[in-house]
């Protein structure tokens, strides 16, 4: 009878160890998948923010250049900045109005 009890306890311990190892392995796989997803998302966000920043910086230089050109054509830089600024505001207002519908 002690032999049967000993074998049963060994079997229970082995089964418990196998279940415990399976749970640890699956949780490690899940954590690895979560880390990979977070890394991909973070890289995508950083890439998008960098691209938007560079585009806005480039647009600012183009607008300043256009304003200086228009101002030099009209004879006074302030006119160029006013005209280019007004055009940008009108475009922004039109985009805001169009997005409401």
């Amino acid at each position: 009878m002690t032999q049967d009890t000993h074998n049963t306890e060994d079997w229970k311990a082995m089964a418990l160890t196998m279940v415990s190892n399976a749970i640890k392995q699956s949780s490690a796989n899940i954590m690895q998948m979560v880390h990979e997803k977070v890394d991909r998302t973070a890289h995508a966000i950083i890439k998008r923010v960098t691209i938007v920043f560079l585009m806005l910086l480039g647009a600012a230089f183009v607008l300043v250049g256009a304003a200086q050109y228009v101002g030099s054509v009209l004879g006074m830089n302030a006119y160029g900045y006013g005209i280019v600024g007004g055009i940008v505001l009108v475009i922004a207002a039109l985009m805001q109005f169009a997005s409401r519908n």
Side-chain angles (χ1 to χ4, degrees), residues 2-98:
T2 59
Q3 183 79 11
D4 288 338
T5 306
H6 185 63
N7 286 340
T8 304
E9 288 177 14
D10 285 345
W11 173 255
K12 287 180 185 178
M14 185 176 71
L16 184 60
T17 302
M18 287 175 57
V19 169
S20 175
N21 288 339
I23 290 172
K24 287 178 185 175
Q25 185 178 12
S26 66
S27 66
N29 290 340
I30 291 171
M31 288 304 293
Q32 182 180 2
M33 289 187 326
V34 168
H35 282 293
E36 289 174 358
K37 181 69 173 175
V38 167
D39 285 344
R40 282 195 305 267
T41 305
H43 287 6
I45 290 171
I46 291 170
K47 181 180 174 184
R48 186 167 292 152
V49 166
T50 302
I51 289 171
V52 167
F53 172 74
L54 290 175
M55 289 178 73
L56 289 174
L57 185 64
F61 278 107
V62 167
L63 289 173
V64 167
Q68 288 183 349
Y69 174 74
V70 170
S72 69
V73 168
L74 296 176
M76 192 169 167
N77 279 341
Y79 292 152
Y81 286 105
I83 291 170
V84 171
I87 291 171
V88 170
L89 288 176
V90 168
I91 290 171
L94 289 174
M95 289 176 69
Q96 177 67 27
F97 180 73

